[in-house]
Amino acid sequence: MDIERIHTPVMLERTLELLAPALEADGAVMVDATLGMGGHTAAFLERFPKLTVIGLDRDTDALGIARERLAKFGDRARFVHTVYDGIVEAVRSEGFREVQGVLFDLGVSSLQLDRAERGFAYSKDAPLDMRMDFTSGRTAADVIAEESEEELRRIFLDYGEEKLAARYARAIVRARAEAPITRSAELVAVIQAATPVAVQRQGHPAKRVFQALRIEVNEELSVLERAMPAALDTIAVGGRIVVLAYQSLEDRIVKRSLAAASSSSAPAGLPMELPEHRPEFKLLVRGAELASEDEQAENPRAKPVRLRAAERVRRPA
């Protein structure tokens, strides 16, 4: 497998630029909360020769590839098998209490998309799995088999923002009564049959349903809701966080977390802001940055990305 060919880190130079001021000092520690195959981490370890990176991932396949790829960096590369809401425990397990940098590259990884047997891609027939950590938890096939029509509709609407959520949920319940739906091609066929022709012309009708199932199986939004405040709490004064989000639901959580951390906590109406109410973070970019047009052309996976970043400016007394 040619790792460099199948995995091109998104917005790599911009991410390096934003985190650099926090990582150049001796003894700096960064958490790559979504290690994947180690593309971002490899670049950081090469750029900052005194940096230590703690890489987190729930996918044991990805961890195995990253360990091999990053072996040349010795103990400057650390590895923890965990979901990223376990960031505090992971940092402490490696002997640190604070870090100078945190990177999140959210969503499904190139490895998971490109290995058909993982069941993430609607364009490839495979068992309906979709677990990022395939050693535990229920699969997408379990969700399809076990959830009520009402709950399937909620999943497709809330996590996929799918306008035809009710129609698809109803079609799936009818189809599974005839035979179990256990493969991606079977689910795609049910969805296509339930999709009006005019809608099919607007793009693949299964895209949002597969996104919703992936989020449900891996509890991605609830994990991110817990992970953001935990990650911010681990960052030392002067430390920075960069988050790359690829869909609006994730980006909303990130935006809300960073906005709260960079806002004054002073009650409305106070004549002056007391020191203890000053924001703990400052935003480093206005709104969300997009990948350049050149990068989007070269790497299609960069098209939906939204980058946000912040720096810790103080800790509570």
Side-chain angles (χ1 to χ4, degrees), residues 39-55:
H40 279 104
T41 286
F44 276 94
L45 290 170
E46 288 169 358
R47 182 75 59 92
F48 306 105
K50 297 180 181 179
L51 175 67
T52 296
V53 178
I54 304 170

Side-chain angles (χ1 to χ4, degrees), residues 104-299:
F104 283 92
D105 186 14
L106 300 170
V108 65
S109 74
S110 302
L111 175 66
Q112 291 156 348
L113 284 172
D114 292 340
R115 287 192 169 175
E117 69 273 14
R118 300 296 294 272
F120 285 94
Y122 51 80
S123 59
K124 303 171 184 176
D125 184 32
L128 272 175
D129 193 312
M130 297 196 193
R131 291 173 297 171
M132 292 179 177
D133 180 355
F134 57 80
T135 66
S136 64
R138 65 177 185 163
T139 67
D142 294 331
V143 174
I144 290 296
E146 297 167 2
E147 298 296 353
S148 66
E149 179 179 332
E150 181 180 355
E151 181 62 8
L152 288 173
R153 182 196 62 78
R154 183 198 68 78
I155 290 169
F156 300 157
L157 184 62
D158 289 356
Y159 299 157
E161 300 178 293
E162 175 53 68
K163 295 178 181 178
L164 298 179
R167 178 191 289 256
Y168 291 153
R170 186 164 55 250
I172 287 168
V173 169
R174 288 174 178 168
R176 77 186 185 190
E178 300 294 327
I181 301 172
T182 61
R183 299 187 65 84
S184 54
E186 294 167 351
L187 178 57
V188 167
V190 172
I191 293 170
Q192 286 180 324
T195 305
V197 174
V199 176
Q200 292 194 33
R201 296 194 189 102
Q202 298 171 14
H204 201 294
K207 180 179 180 179
R208 294 182 182 276
V209 170
F210 271 63
Q211 172 184 298
L213 285 170
R214 190 199 81 218
I215 290 172
E216 170 69 15
V217 166
N218 297 290
E219 301 179 345
E220 292 176 46
L221 299 184
S222 58
V223 167
L224 185 58
E225 290 271 15
R226 296 189 296 270
M228 282 300 298
L232 292 172
D233 193 50
T234 67
I235 298 174
V237 174
R240 294 183 167 201
I241 181 171
V242 171
V243 185
L244 303 172
Y246 295 82
Q247 43 104 342
S248 60
L249 298 172
E250 290 175 337
D251 185 52
R252 215 169 292 155
I253 293 171
V254 175
K255 177 182 179 180
R256 188 166 60 241
S257 296
L258 295 184
S262 59
S263 299
S264 171
S265 61
L270 283 184
M272 62 178 293
E273 182 183 57
L274 298 175
E276 60 265 30
H277 293 305
R278 287 186 289 115
E280 295 181 24
F281 284 80
K282 68 175 181 180
L283 300 180
L284 298 173
V285 299
R286 288 181 61 85
E289 284 191 8
L290 310 181
S292 68
E293 292 184 3
D294 287 345
E295 181 173 359
Q296 291 184 40
E298 293 174 7
N299 183 6

Side-chain angles (χ1 to χ4, degrees), residues 15 19 23 28-35 40-41 44 51-57 76 78 80 82-92 94 96-105 230-231 234-235 240-242:
T15 301
L19 288 172
L23 303 182
V29 178
M30 178 183 122
V31 176
D32 185 342
T34 48
L35 179 64
H40 279 104
T41 286
F44 276 94
L51 175 67
T52 296
V53 178
I54 304 170
L56 318 183
D57 211 294
R76 292 175 55 218
R78 316 282 185 90
V80 182
T82 187
V83 186
Y84 43 72
D85 61 348
I87 185 171
V88 174
E89 295 79 6
V91 168
R92 290 177 179 171
E94 293 299 321
F96 304 99
R97 297 198 68 82
E98 291 185 324
V99 300
Q100 285 64 50
V102 174
L103 172 66
F104 283 92
D105 186 14
T234 67
I235 298 174
R240 294 183 167 201
I241 181 171
V242 171

